[in-house]
Short mmCIF file of all heavy atoms in Angstrom, two decimals:
data_model
loop_
_atom_site.label_atom_id
_atom_site.label_comp_id
_atom_site.label_asym_id
_atom_site.label_seq_id
_atom_site.Cartn_x
_atom_site.Cartn_y
_atom_site.Cartn_z
N ARG A 211 -31.79 24.25 74.24
CA ARG A 211 -32.01 23.25 73.23
C ARG A 211 -30.80 22.48 72.83
O ARG A 211 -29.68 23.04 72.85
CB ARG A 211 -32.55 23.98 71.94
CG ARG A 211 -33.94 24.43 72.19
CD ARG A 211 -34.59 24.48 70.83
NE ARG A 211 -36.01 24.48 71.21
CZ ARG A 211 -37.01 24.53 70.42
NH1 ARG A 211 -36.74 24.51 69.15
NH2 ARG A 211 -38.25 24.56 70.83
N LEU A 212 -30.94 21.29 72.35
CA LEU A 212 -29.80 20.50 71.96
C LEU A 212 -29.41 20.97 70.53
O LEU A 212 -30.23 21.21 69.66
CB LEU A 212 -30.21 19.03 71.86
CG LEU A 212 -30.67 18.39 73.21
CD1 LEU A 212 -31.16 16.95 72.97
CD2 LEU A 212 -29.51 18.39 74.16
N SER A 213 -28.12 21.00 70.32
CA SER A 213 -27.60 21.45 69.03
C SER A 213 -27.83 20.36 68.05
O SER A 213 -27.52 19.16 68.29
CB SER A 213 -26.14 21.77 69.19
OG SER A 213 -25.47 21.83 67.91
N ALA A 214 -28.35 20.67 66.84
CA ALA A 214 -28.52 19.67 65.79
C ALA A 214 -27.18 19.16 65.30
O ALA A 214 -27.12 18.00 64.80
CB ALA A 214 -29.27 20.27 64.65
N SER A 215 -26.09 19.91 65.40
CA SER A 215 -24.83 19.45 64.87
C SER A 215 -24.18 18.50 65.87
O SER A 215 -23.27 17.68 65.55
CB SER A 215 -23.86 20.66 64.63
OG SER A 215 -23.62 21.33 65.81
N GLU A 216 -24.54 18.62 67.18
CA GLU A 216 -23.85 17.73 68.21
C GLU A 216 -24.70 16.48 68.58
O GLU A 216 -24.14 15.57 69.16
CB GLU A 216 -23.68 18.59 69.44
CG GLU A 216 -22.65 19.67 69.25
CD GLU A 216 -22.49 20.48 70.58
OE1 GLU A 216 -22.25 19.87 71.62
OE2 GLU A 216 -22.63 21.66 70.54
N TYR A 217 -26.03 16.49 68.32
CA TYR A 217 -26.84 15.39 68.69
C TYR A 217 -27.71 14.92 67.51
O TYR A 217 -28.20 15.72 66.72
CB TYR A 217 -27.79 15.79 69.83
CG TYR A 217 -27.10 16.21 71.09
CD1 TYR A 217 -26.75 17.58 71.39
CD2 TYR A 217 -26.69 15.25 72.02
CE1 TYR A 217 -26.06 17.85 72.54
CE2 TYR A 217 -26.00 15.57 73.17
CZ TYR A 217 -25.72 16.96 73.41
OH TYR A 217 -25.03 17.25 74.53
N ARG A 218 -27.91 13.65 67.45
CA ARG A 218 -28.76 13.08 66.46
C ARG A 218 -30.22 13.38 66.84
O ARG A 218 -30.50 13.65 68.01
CB ARG A 218 -28.54 11.56 66.44
CG ARG A 218 -27.22 11.18 65.82
CD ARG A 218 -27.14 9.71 65.75
NE ARG A 218 -26.06 9.34 64.80
CZ ARG A 218 -25.84 8.13 64.40
NH1 ARG A 218 -26.56 7.14 64.84
NH2 ARG A 218 -24.85 7.89 63.55
N PRO A 219 -31.13 13.21 65.84
CA PRO A 219 -32.57 13.42 66.17
C PRO A 219 -33.03 12.41 67.25
O PRO A 219 -32.56 11.29 67.19
CB PRO A 219 -33.30 13.15 64.81
CG PRO A 219 -32.19 13.49 63.78
CD PRO A 219 -30.89 13.05 64.43
N ASN A 220 -33.89 12.89 68.05
CA ASN A 220 -34.43 11.97 69.14
C ASN A 220 -35.79 11.48 68.76
O ASN A 220 -36.56 12.14 68.08
CB ASN A 220 -34.62 12.81 70.44
CG ASN A 220 -33.29 13.26 71.02
OD1 ASN A 220 -32.43 12.45 71.42
ND2 ASN A 220 -33.02 14.56 71.07
N ASN A 221 -36.08 10.36 69.23
CA ASN A 221 -37.46 9.79 69.20
C ASN A 221 -37.86 9.64 70.66
O ASN A 221 -37.35 8.80 71.43
CB ASN A 221 -37.49 8.41 68.48
CG ASN A 221 -37.28 8.57 67.02
OD1 ASN A 221 -37.99 9.34 66.38
ND2 ASN A 221 -36.31 7.92 66.46
N VAL A 222 -38.94 10.35 71.09
CA VAL A 222 -39.30 10.38 72.51
C VAL A 222 -40.75 9.86 72.60
O VAL A 222 -41.61 10.20 71.81
CB VAL A 222 -39.24 11.89 73.01
CG1 VAL A 222 -39.68 11.89 74.49
CG2 VAL A 222 -37.89 12.40 72.83
N LEU A 223 -41.01 9.09 73.60
CA LEU A 223 -42.34 8.56 73.87
C LEU A 223 -42.80 9.22 75.16
O LEU A 223 -42.15 9.10 76.27
CB LEU A 223 -42.33 7.05 74.03
CG LEU A 223 -43.69 6.47 74.54
CD1 LEU A 223 -44.86 6.74 73.50
CD2 LEU A 223 -43.52 4.96 74.78
N PHE A 224 -43.90 9.89 75.13
CA PHE A 224 -44.54 10.53 76.31
C PHE A 224 -45.71 9.48 76.68
O PHE A 224 -46.59 9.25 75.88
CB PHE A 224 -45.17 11.84 76.02
CG PHE A 224 -44.14 12.92 75.79
CD1 PHE A 224 -43.72 13.27 74.56
CD2 PHE A 224 -43.54 13.61 76.86
CE1 PHE A 224 -42.79 14.22 74.32
CE2 PHE A 224 -42.53 14.52 76.64
CZ PHE A 224 -42.16 14.87 75.37
N LEU A 225 -45.64 8.97 77.92
CA LEU A 225 -46.70 8.07 78.40
C LEU A 225 -47.27 8.81 79.65
O LEU A 225 -46.64 8.90 80.69
CB LEU A 225 -46.06 6.74 78.80
CG LEU A 225 -46.98 5.66 79.34
CD1 LEU A 225 -48.01 5.32 78.33
CD2 LEU A 225 -46.13 4.47 79.74
N LEU A 226 -48.52 9.31 79.43
CA LEU A 226 -49.08 10.15 80.45
C LEU A 226 -50.27 9.48 81.18
O LEU A 226 -51.16 9.05 80.50
CB LEU A 226 -49.52 11.50 79.81
CG LEU A 226 -48.49 12.24 79.03
CD1 LEU A 226 -49.10 13.52 78.43
CD2 LEU A 226 -47.30 12.61 79.97
N ASP A 227 -50.28 9.55 82.46
CA ASP A 227 -51.37 9.01 83.33
C ASP A 227 -52.46 10.09 83.39
O ASP A 227 -52.20 11.15 83.91
CB ASP A 227 -50.73 8.69 84.72
CG ASP A 227 -51.83 8.11 85.69
OD1 ASP A 227 -53.04 8.02 85.29
OD2 ASP A 227 -51.40 7.78 86.78
N VAL A 228 -53.61 9.76 82.79
CA VAL A 228 -54.74 10.72 82.89
C VAL A 228 -55.93 10.03 83.66
O VAL A 228 -57.04 10.40 83.47
CB VAL A 228 -55.22 11.13 81.52
CG1 VAL A 228 -54.07 11.98 80.80
CG2 VAL A 228 -55.60 9.98 80.62
N SER A 229 -55.54 9.10 84.55
CA SER A 229 -56.55 8.42 85.34
C SER A 229 -57.22 9.37 86.32
O SER A 229 -56.77 10.49 86.55
CB SER A 229 -55.96 7.21 86.04
OG SER A 229 -55.02 7.66 87.01
N THR A 230 -58.29 8.91 86.90
CA THR A 230 -59.03 9.77 87.90
C THR A 230 -58.17 10.15 89.11
O THR A 230 -58.38 11.17 89.71
CB THR A 230 -60.30 9.02 88.36
OG1 THR A 230 -60.01 7.72 88.88
CG2 THR A 230 -61.31 8.92 87.24
N SER A 231 -57.22 9.31 89.46
CA SER A 231 -56.34 9.69 90.54
C SER A 231 -55.54 10.98 90.31
O SER A 231 -55.14 11.64 91.19
CB SER A 231 -55.39 8.52 90.92
OG SER A 231 -54.44 8.35 89.90
N MET A 232 -55.36 11.28 89.05
CA MET A 232 -54.59 12.47 88.64
C MET A 232 -55.38 13.79 88.86
O MET A 232 -54.85 14.85 88.92
CB MET A 232 -54.12 12.45 87.19
CG MET A 232 -53.08 11.35 86.95
SD MET A 232 -51.54 11.66 87.78
CE MET A 232 -50.92 12.99 86.93
N ALA A 233 -56.69 13.57 89.10
CA ALA A 233 -57.57 14.76 89.34
C ALA A 233 -57.45 15.30 90.71
O ALA A 233 -57.82 16.46 91.00
CB ALA A 233 -59.03 14.41 89.04
N ARG A 234 -56.89 14.52 91.65
CA ARG A 234 -56.70 14.95 93.01
C ARG A 234 -55.57 15.96 93.10
O ARG A 234 -54.43 15.74 92.55
CB ARG A 234 -56.45 13.77 93.91
CG ARG A 234 -57.65 12.89 94.01
CD ARG A 234 -57.39 11.81 95.09
NE ARG A 234 -58.06 10.60 94.62
CZ ARG A 234 -57.45 9.46 94.40
NH1 ARG A 234 -56.19 9.26 94.66
NH2 ARG A 234 -58.14 8.40 93.97
N GLY A 235 -55.81 17.01 93.86
CA GLY A 235 -54.70 17.98 94.06
C GLY A 235 -54.36 18.71 92.76
O GLY A 235 -55.14 18.94 91.92
N GLU A 236 -53.06 18.94 92.67
CA GLU A 236 -52.55 19.67 91.43
C GLU A 236 -51.81 18.74 90.54
O GLU A 236 -51.10 19.17 89.62
CB GLU A 236 -51.65 20.74 91.95
CG GLU A 236 -52.28 21.79 92.79
CD GLU A 236 -51.27 22.88 93.22
OE1 GLU A 236 -50.15 22.89 92.76
OE2 GLU A 236 -51.67 23.60 94.07
N LYS A 237 -52.06 17.43 90.65
CA LYS A 237 -51.28 16.46 89.78
C LYS A 237 -51.43 16.71 88.32
O LYS A 237 -50.44 16.70 87.56
CB LYS A 237 -51.73 15.04 90.15
CG LYS A 237 -51.37 14.59 91.46
CD LYS A 237 -51.85 13.12 91.69
CE LYS A 237 -51.61 12.67 93.09
NZ LYS A 237 -52.16 11.32 93.28
N MET A 238 -52.68 16.93 87.76
CA MET A 238 -52.80 17.11 86.36
C MET A 238 -52.25 18.43 85.87
O MET A 238 -51.55 18.46 84.85
CB MET A 238 -54.31 17.09 86.05
CG MET A 238 -54.59 17.03 84.52
SD MET A 238 -53.86 15.67 83.63
CE MET A 238 -54.91 14.30 84.18
N ASP A 239 -52.31 19.48 86.68
CA ASP A 239 -51.66 20.73 86.31
C ASP A 239 -50.12 20.54 86.25
O ASP A 239 -49.44 21.09 85.37
CB ASP A 239 -52.03 21.84 87.28
CG ASP A 239 -53.44 22.30 87.21
OD1 ASP A 239 -54.03 22.11 86.08
OD2 ASP A 239 -54.02 22.76 88.17
N LEU A 240 -49.59 19.81 87.21
CA LEU A 240 -48.15 19.58 87.19
C LEU A 240 -47.73 18.73 85.99
O LEU A 240 -46.70 19.01 85.36
CB LEU A 240 -47.70 18.87 88.53
CG LEU A 240 -47.80 19.72 89.79
CD1 LEU A 240 -47.58 18.85 90.97
CD2 LEU A 240 -46.77 20.83 89.72
N LEU A 241 -48.56 17.77 85.64
CA LEU A 241 -48.27 16.93 84.49
C LEU A 241 -48.28 17.72 83.21
O LEU A 241 -47.41 17.65 82.38
CB LEU A 241 -49.30 15.81 84.40
CG LEU A 241 -49.20 14.89 83.15
CD1 LEU A 241 -47.89 14.20 83.10
CD2 LEU A 241 -50.37 13.93 83.13
N LYS A 242 -49.29 18.59 83.02
CA LYS A 242 -49.40 19.44 81.86
C LYS A 242 -48.17 20.36 81.73
O LYS A 242 -47.63 20.55 80.70
CB LYS A 242 -50.67 20.27 81.91
CG LYS A 242 -51.87 19.48 81.63
CD LYS A 242 -53.15 20.35 81.76
CE LYS A 242 -54.42 19.59 81.65
NZ LYS A 242 -55.59 20.37 81.82
N ASN A 243 -47.77 20.92 82.86
CA ASN A 243 -46.68 21.83 82.89
C ASN A 243 -45.38 21.11 82.51
O ASN A 243 -44.55 21.62 81.75
CB ASN A 243 -46.48 22.52 84.29
CG ASN A 243 -45.46 23.61 84.27
OD1 ASN A 243 -45.17 24.21 83.32
ND2 ASN A 243 -44.92 23.79 85.44
N ALA A 244 -45.14 19.99 83.01
CA ALA A 244 -43.96 19.19 82.75
C ALA A 244 -43.98 18.78 81.27
O ALA A 244 -42.87 18.85 80.57
CB ALA A 244 -43.88 17.93 83.64
N ALA A 245 -45.08 18.34 80.72
CA ALA A 245 -45.16 17.97 79.32
C ALA A 245 -44.87 19.16 78.42
O ALA A 245 -44.12 18.99 77.43
CB ALA A 245 -46.53 17.38 78.99
N ASP A 246 -45.42 20.32 78.77
CA ASP A 246 -45.13 21.55 78.03
C ASP A 246 -43.59 21.86 78.00
O ASP A 246 -43.05 22.21 76.98
CB ASP A 246 -45.87 22.74 78.51
CG ASP A 246 -47.37 22.72 78.18
OD1 ASP A 246 -47.73 22.01 77.22
OD2 ASP A 246 -48.13 23.49 78.75
N GLN A 247 -43.01 21.74 79.16
CA GLN A 247 -41.63 21.99 79.27
C GLN A 247 -40.78 21.07 78.42
O GLN A 247 -39.75 21.41 77.72
CB GLN A 247 -41.12 22.01 80.72
CG GLN A 247 -41.55 23.19 81.55
CD GLN A 247 -41.06 23.14 82.93
OE1 GLN A 247 -40.03 22.64 83.21
NE2 GLN A 247 -41.86 23.67 83.89
N LEU A 248 -41.07 19.74 78.51
CA LEU A 248 -40.41 18.77 77.68
C LEU A 248 -40.55 18.96 76.23
O LEU A 248 -39.58 18.90 75.44
CB LEU A 248 -40.77 17.34 78.10
CG LEU A 248 -40.39 16.91 79.52
CD1 LEU A 248 -41.10 15.63 79.90
CD2 LEU A 248 -38.85 16.70 79.58
N LEU A 249 -41.77 19.27 75.75
CA LEU A 249 -41.99 19.52 74.34
C LEU A 249 -41.28 20.69 73.87
O LEU A 249 -40.82 20.76 72.74
CB LEU A 249 -43.54 19.64 74.07
CG LEU A 249 -44.27 18.35 74.08
CD1 LEU A 249 -45.81 18.65 74.09
CD2 LEU A 249 -43.92 17.56 72.78
N SER A 250 -41.19 21.75 74.70
CA SER A 250 -40.58 22.97 74.27
C SER A 250 -39.05 22.82 74.07
O SER A 250 -38.43 23.58 73.36
CB SER A 250 -40.77 24.11 75.28
OG SER A 250 -40.04 23.90 76.44
N ARG A 251 -38.49 21.77 74.59
CA ARG A 251 -37.07 21.48 74.44
C ARG A 251 -36.76 20.64 73.13
O ARG A 251 -35.58 20.49 72.83
CB ARG A 251 -36.49 20.78 75.61
CG ARG A 251 -36.62 21.62 76.87
CD ARG A 251 -35.81 21.12 78.01
NE ARG A 251 -36.01 21.83 79.25
CZ ARG A 251 -35.57 23.05 79.53
NH1 ARG A 251 -34.93 23.75 78.65
NH2 ARG A 251 -35.84 23.60 80.69
N LEU A 252 -37.80 20.09 72.55
CA LEU A 252 -37.57 19.25 71.33
C LEU A 252 -37.24 20.17 70.18
O LEU A 252 -37.77 21.31 70.10
CB LEU A 252 -38.79 18.38 71.03
CG LEU A 252 -39.14 17.33 72.06
CD1 LEU A 252 -40.41 16.56 71.61
CD2 LEU A 252 -38.01 16.42 72.25
N ARG A 253 -36.46 19.67 69.27
CA ARG A 253 -36.09 20.35 68.07
C ARG A 253 -37.02 19.97 66.97
O ARG A 253 -37.63 18.90 67.03
CB ARG A 253 -34.62 20.10 67.70
CG ARG A 253 -33.65 20.45 68.81
CD ARG A 253 -32.30 19.80 68.57
NE ARG A 253 -32.52 18.29 68.59
CZ ARG A 253 -31.61 17.44 68.18
NH1 ARG A 253 -30.43 17.90 67.68
NH2 ARG A 253 -31.85 16.16 68.14
N PRO A 254 -37.04 20.74 65.88
CA PRO A 254 -37.95 20.36 64.70
C PRO A 254 -37.51 18.95 64.13
O PRO A 254 -38.37 18.23 63.60
CB PRO A 254 -37.72 21.43 63.69
CG PRO A 254 -37.44 22.64 64.52
CD PRO A 254 -36.61 22.12 65.67
N VAL A 255 -36.31 18.59 64.31
CA VAL A 255 -35.88 17.24 63.77
C VAL A 255 -36.23 16.10 64.67
O VAL A 255 -36.19 14.92 64.27
CB VAL A 255 -34.29 17.21 63.54
CG1 VAL A 255 -33.93 18.21 62.46
CG2 VAL A 255 -33.49 17.40 64.82
N ASP A 256 -36.56 16.38 65.93
CA ASP A 256 -36.99 15.38 66.90
C ASP A 256 -38.40 14.88 66.65
O ASP A 256 -39.23 15.67 66.10
CB ASP A 256 -36.87 15.89 68.33
CG ASP A 256 -35.46 16.24 68.75
OD1 ASP A 256 -34.53 15.55 68.24
OD2 ASP A 256 -35.25 17.11 69.56
N LYS A 257 -38.68 13.68 66.93
CA LYS A 257 -40.04 13.10 66.77
C LYS A 257 -40.53 12.63 68.18
O LYS A 257 -39.72 12.32 68.99
CB LYS A 257 -39.97 11.97 65.81
CG LYS A 257 -39.67 12.36 64.41
CD LYS A 257 -39.87 11.26 63.46
CE LYS A 257 -39.56 11.46 62.04
NZ LYS A 257 -39.69 12.54 61.35
N PHE A 258 -41.81 12.64 68.35
CA PHE A 258 -42.33 12.19 69.55
C PHE A 258 -43.68 11.41 69.33
O PHE A 258 -44.31 11.62 68.31
CB PHE A 258 -42.63 13.30 70.59
CG PHE A 258 -43.75 14.25 70.23
CD1 PHE A 258 -45.00 14.01 70.73
CD2 PHE A 258 -43.52 15.27 69.34
CE1 PHE A 258 -46.05 14.82 70.37
CE2 PHE A 258 -44.61 16.14 68.97
CZ PHE A 258 -45.78 15.94 69.54
N ALA A 259 -44.04 10.56 70.26
CA ALA A 259 -45.27 9.90 70.26
C ALA A 259 -45.90 10.16 71.64
O ALA A 259 -45.20 10.35 72.59
CB ALA A 259 -45.14 8.41 70.02
N LEU A 260 -47.25 10.17 71.68
CA LEU A 260 -47.93 10.46 72.92
C LEU A 260 -48.98 9.45 73.16
O LEU A 260 -49.90 9.21 72.29
CB LEU A 260 -48.60 11.84 72.85
CG LEU A 260 -49.47 12.29 74.02
CD1 LEU A 260 -48.66 12.33 75.32
CD2 LEU A 260 -50.16 13.54 73.73
N ILE A 261 -48.87 8.76 74.31
CA ILE A 261 -49.90 7.73 74.69
C ILE A 261 -50.39 8.23 76.07
O ILE A 261 -49.61 8.50 76.98
CB ILE A 261 -49.27 6.35 74.85
CG1 ILE A 261 -48.75 5.87 73.44
CG2 ILE A 261 -50.24 5.35 75.44
CD1 ILE A 261 -48.00 4.60 73.51
N THR A 262 -51.71 8.15 76.23
CA THR A 262 -52.32 8.51 77.53
C THR A 262 -52.93 7.17 77.98
O THR A 262 -53.35 6.32 77.28
CB THR A 262 -53.38 9.53 77.43
OG1 THR A 262 -54.41 9.16 76.50
CG2 THR A 262 -52.78 10.87 76.96
N PHE A 263 -53.01 7.05 79.33
CA PHE A 263 -53.67 5.94 79.88
C PHE A 263 -54.47 6.30 81.11
O PHE A 263 -54.09 7.21 81.84
CB PHE A 263 -52.72 4.81 80.20
CG PHE A 263 -51.77 5.07 81.37
CD1 PHE A 263 -52.07 4.66 82.66
CD2 PHE A 263 -50.58 5.74 81.15
CE1 PHE A 263 -51.21 4.93 83.70
CE2 PHE A 263 -49.68 6.01 82.14
CZ PHE A 263 -50.00 5.61 83.47
N GLY A 264 -55.57 5.70 81.28
CA GLY A 264 -56.50 5.83 82.41
C GLY A 264 -57.13 4.52 82.61
O GLY A 264 -56.50 3.54 83.01
N LYS A 265 -58.38 4.41 82.17
CA LYS A 265 -59.05 3.10 82.17
C LYS A 265 -58.49 2.25 81.04
O LYS A 265 -58.44 1.01 81.08
CB LYS A 265 -60.56 3.23 81.98
CG LYS A 265 -61.24 3.83 83.21
CD LYS A 265 -62.73 3.90 83.05
CE LYS A 265 -63.36 4.44 84.28
NZ LYS A 265 -64.80 4.52 84.20
N ARG A 266 -58.02 2.94 79.96
CA ARG A 266 -57.37 2.19 78.81
C ARG A 266 -56.35 3.08 78.23
O ARG A 266 -56.37 4.37 78.44
CB ARG A 266 -58.45 1.73 77.80
CG ARG A 266 -59.17 2.83 77.15
CD ARG A 266 -60.28 2.33 76.23
NE ARG A 266 -60.91 3.44 75.57
CZ ARG A 266 -60.68 3.79 74.32
NH1 ARG A 266 -59.80 3.16 73.63
NH2 ARG A 266 -61.29 4.78 73.77
N ALA A 267 -55.47 2.52 77.45
CA ALA A 267 -54.38 3.28 76.79
C ALA A 267 -54.91 3.79 75.46
O ALA A 267 -55.70 3.14 74.81
CB ALA A 267 -53.16 2.45 76.57
N GLN A 268 -54.50 5.00 75.11
CA GLN A 268 -54.87 5.63 73.83
C GLN A 268 -53.66 6.24 73.18
O GLN A 268 -52.94 7.04 73.83
CB GLN A 268 -55.93 6.67 73.98
CG GLN A 268 -57.35 6.12 74.33
CD GLN A 268 -58.29 7.31 74.27
OE1 GLN A 268 -58.35 8.06 75.14
NE2 GLN A 268 -59.14 7.33 73.17
N LEU A 269 -53.48 5.90 71.88
CA LEU A 269 -52.35 6.58 71.17
C LEU A 269 -52.89 7.91 70.64
O LEU A 269 -53.91 7.97 69.94
CB LEU A 269 -51.97 5.72 69.95
CG LEU A 269 -50.95 6.28 69.01
CD1 LEU A 269 -49.63 6.49 69.73
CD2 LEU A 269 -50.75 5.39 67.81
N ARG A 270 -52.29 9.00 71.16
CA ARG A 270 -52.74 10.34 70.76
C ARG A 270 -52.04 10.92 69.56
O ARG A 270 -52.55 11.55 68.72
CB ARG A 270 -52.61 11.33 71.94
CG ARG A 270 -53.44 10.94 73.18
CD ARG A 270 -54.86 10.97 72.88
NE ARG A 270 -55.62 10.67 74.12
CZ ARG A 270 -56.91 10.95 74.27
NH1 ARG A 270 -57.55 11.53 73.33
NH2 ARG A 270 -57.48 10.64 75.35
N TYR A 271 -50.77 10.70 69.50
CA TYR A 271 -49.90 11.12 68.43
C TYR A 271 -48.89 9.99 68.17
O TYR A 271 -48.20 9.53 69.06
CB TYR A 271 -49.11 12.36 68.72
CG TYR A 271 -50.00 13.59 68.83
CD1 TYR A 271 -50.40 14.05 70.07
CD2 TYR A 271 -50.46 14.26 67.69
CE1 TYR A 271 -51.16 15.22 70.12
CE2 TYR A 271 -51.25 15.40 67.75
CZ TYR A 271 -51.64 15.83 69.00
OH TYR A 271 -52.46 16.94 69.15
N ALA A 272 -48.79 9.59 66.91
CA ALA A 272 -47.83 8.52 66.55
C ALA A 272 -46.77 9.20 65.71
O ALA A 272 -47.04 9.76 64.61
CB ALA A 272 -48.56 7.48 65.74
N THR A 273 -45.55 9.24 66.26
CA THR A 273 -44.39 9.71 65.54
C THR A 273 -44.65 11.11 64.88
O THR A 273 -44.58 11.25 63.70
CB THR A 273 -43.83 8.74 64.49
OG1 THR A 273 -43.92 7.45 65.10
CG2 THR A 273 -42.40 9.10 64.18
N ALA A 274 -45.06 12.06 65.69
CA ALA A 274 -45.24 13.44 65.19
C ALA A 274 -43.97 14.20 65.39
O ALA A 274 -43.04 13.81 66.21
CB ALA A 274 -46.37 14.06 65.99
N SER A 275 -43.80 15.30 64.75
CA SER A 275 -42.68 16.21 64.97
C SER A 275 -43.22 17.58 65.26
O SER A 275 -44.44 17.82 65.04
CB SER A 275 -41.73 16.18 63.81
OG SER A 275 -42.31 16.93 62.72
N LEU A 276 -42.42 18.48 65.67
CA LEU A 276 -42.85 19.81 65.96
C LEU A 276 -43.13 20.54 64.69
O LEU A 276 -43.74 21.59 64.65
CB LEU A 276 -41.84 20.55 66.79
CG LEU A 276 -41.63 20.02 68.19
CD1 LEU A 276 -40.53 20.71 68.96
CD2 LEU A 276 -42.97 19.97 68.97
N ARG A 277 -42.78 19.97 63.56
CA ARG A 277 -43.05 20.54 62.26
C ARG A 277 -44.52 20.22 61.88
O ARG A 277 -45.16 20.85 61.02
CB ARG A 277 -42.14 19.97 61.18
CG ARG A 277 -40.74 20.39 61.34
CD ARG A 277 -39.91 19.74 60.17
NE ARG A 277 -38.50 20.02 60.44
CZ ARG A 277 -37.50 19.34 59.93
NH1 ARG A 277 -37.79 18.34 59.11
NH2 ARG A 277 -36.30 19.60 60.19
N SER A 278 -45.06 19.17 62.46
CA SER A 278 -46.41 18.72 62.19
C SER A 278 -47.39 19.76 62.62
O SER A 278 -47.30 20.36 63.69
CB SER A 278 -46.72 17.37 62.85
OG SER A 278 -45.85 16.39 62.42
N LYS A 279 -48.49 20.00 61.82
CA LYS A 279 -49.45 20.92 62.25
C LYS A 279 -50.72 20.29 62.77
O LYS A 279 -51.68 20.96 63.17
CB LYS A 279 -49.91 21.81 61.00
CG LYS A 279 -48.71 22.62 60.47
CD LYS A 279 -48.29 23.70 61.42
CE LYS A 279 -47.17 24.49 60.77
NZ LYS A 279 -46.51 25.31 61.73
N ASP A 280 -50.75 18.92 62.92
CA ASP A 280 -51.95 18.23 63.41
C ASP A 280 -51.98 18.14 64.91
O ASP A 280 -51.21 18.09 65.63
CB ASP A 280 -52.17 16.85 62.83
CG ASP A 280 -51.07 16.32 61.95
OD1 ASP A 280 -50.61 17.07 61.08
OD2 ASP A 280 -50.76 15.18 62.05
#
């Protein structure tokens, strides 16, 4: 984890492809694993937004933090 004293809070945007092409092979499982790993490295002071896209883009979380319970 990044030290809160050495680094300012981060604002991270996750843009995830959830189109039908991701259903082939293990692509979706790899994507979920990578997203989990990235989220686990965020600190409570960091914020993130999550947008998924397939046929259309959808905002899933707008500026949430790991402190958020939603």
Side-chain angles (χ1 to χ4, degrees):
R211 286 209 163 182
L212 298 174
S213 165
S215 64
E216 294 180 51
Y217 298 95
R218 290 184 163 187
N220 293 297
N221 288 306
V222 180
L223 171 64
F224 292 95
L225 181 60
L226 305 179
D227 181 356
V228 295
S229 65
T230 53
S231 67
M232 292 296 288
R234 291 187 217 123
E236 297 178 11
K237 291 178 185 178
M238 189 58 73
D239 290 333
L240 290 170
L241 175 63
K242 288 177 186 178
N243 187 27
D246 284 343
Q247 287 182 32
L248 290 168
L249 282 168
S250 73
R251 298 195 188 286
L252 294 180
R253 303 164 299 166
V255 296
D256 296 329
K257 294 190 184 325
F258 71 95
L260 174 64
I261 297 174
T262 59
F263 68 94
K265 289 184 180 181
R266 63 186 183 99
Q268 286 188 286
L269 177 63
R270 299 296 182 160
Y271 291 98
T273 318
S275 74
L276 295 179
R277 292 180 190 162
S278 299
K279 298 292 182 195
D280 5 316

